[in-house]
Amino acid sequence: MREGVNMSDTNNGAGRRIAVVTGGGNGIGEAISTSLAEAGHAVAILDYDGEGGKALASRLNAAGLTARFWQLDCTELDAVEGTFAEIREELGDPAYLVNNVGGHARTKATDFLDSDVRTLDHMVALNLKSTVYCSRQVVKAMSEARFGRIVSIASEAALTGGPKCWDYSAVKAGVIGFSRAIAYELAPHGINVNVVAPGATRTAALAAWSEEQKAAVARAIPLGRLGQPGEIAGTVAFLLSEEASFITGQTILANGGRWMV
Ligand SMILES: NC(=O)c1ccc[n+]([C@@H]2O[C@H](COP(=O)([O-])OP(=O)(O)OC[C@H]3O[C@@H](n4cnc5c(N)ncnc54)[C@H](O)[C@@H]3O)[C@@H](O)[C@H]2O)c1
């Protein structure tokens, strides 16, 4: 047991719940972890970046909020199982899971015409396996509690495609298909499953983009700018909230209107 807060009433009282955020230490995940902690939930931050995740948990705890950090590679099933067992023991059963781990191939991104298709394995693991593995850890207890919310972060690229995106678009479309399938299966168990598909959002993931590239992308967005991590976190918070209780199996684009459903 880590340093002691009694979590035994979490998930019961006054809307205070146990939330897990994967890749929760930086970028969009950091904004999601922060907004959930600020809403009074106990947040398990999972990240393979020990420094970012630990620093964030410390900042949140110093502000009187409740957060714990676990260093974890969400693509490793045995480690995922072990970490979720620890979360259950130390905090209790999660009512919220946000599958945020994922990413574009970045410097390894290629045109399909010139691609080494072996890079696909990494993209499947990072974006799709991590989502499936972590979702599998929480559904049994959510089903027993007759309540749960799972939100996974895909990308508008799943719907639009894009340059050097063949692998990223494929696996993020996989996240959407997986989420629809389990939304259908888990609805009778009181578990809502949804997806947020961000457009270009200002995080370290865009570090390799020049300011000119960012400006060109912003010009193609009706709202005229890139997204902020907090705006994606706000969409996630809505889908986790009681106001979204009749929404399941859906994909919400948070992309400044660049592509409209
Ligand atoms: N930033 C964007 O423009 C954008 C656009 C669309 C979708 N997304 C999606 O949003 C999500 C978050 O993106 P971001 O921009 O915040 O990325 P980021 O790289 O800034 O942050 C990702 C976080 O996940 C962690 N992480 C990466 N692989 C991990 C693993 N295997 N196990 C555990 N932790 C791991 C990293 O350490 C980091 O803390 C991703 O799924 C990404 O595909 C981002």
Side-chain angles (χ1 to χ4, degrees), residues 186-232:
L186 298 174
H189 299 258
I191 304 170
N192 295 27
V193 184
N194 289 291
V195 175
V196 175
T201 306
R202 288 189 178 275
T203 70
L206 306 192
W209 292 20
S210 66
E211 282 311 311
E212 294 76 51
Q213 278 175 301
K214 288 179 190 162
V217 169
R219 278 195 294 277
I221 296 174
L223 286 179
R225 61 178 176 81
L226 274 52
Q228 296 292 345
E231 295 176 293
I232 310 305

Side-chain angles (χ1 to χ4, degrees), residues 39-159:
H41 304 300
V43 183
I45 299 166
L46 313 187
D47 206 298
Y48 71 5
D49 169 21
E51 282 181 24
K54 208 182 289 175
L56 176 61
S58 298
R59 277 202 306 282
L60 294 173
N61 288 319
L65 307 174
T66 305
R68 298 284 183 278
F69 171 63
W70 275 267
Q71 188 162 15
L72 170 69
D73 182 343
C74 293
T75 70
E76 295 292 335
L77 181 56
D78 290 346
V80 167
E81 288 175 342
T83 296
F84 276 82
E86 286 182 23
I87 293 169
R88 282 192 293 275
E89 196 182 311
E90 296 189 22
L91 297 182
D93 292 319
Y96 296 159
L97 169 66
V98 183
N99 290 306
N100 167 72
V101 159
H104 186 262
R106 299 188 194 175
T107 54
K108 294 207 170 75
T110 54
D111 290 324
F112 187 59
L113 201 57
D114 302 319
S115 59
D116 174 355
V117 289
R118 279 177 287 249
T119 59
L120 182 62
D121 289 348
H122 172 65
M123 295 301 284
V124 170
L126 179 63
N127 290 279
L128 187 54
K129 284 188 180 176
S130 64
T131 298
V132 173
Y133 291 169
C134 293
S135 300
R136 182 66 184 85
Q137 307 309 308
V138 297
V139 289
K140 190 160 182 292
M142 287 179 176
S143 166
E144 284 164 7
R146 315 279 317 155
F147 180 87
R149 298 272 189 272
I150 299 173
V151 176
S152 298
I153 308 299
S155 166
E156 66 175 2
L159 305 167

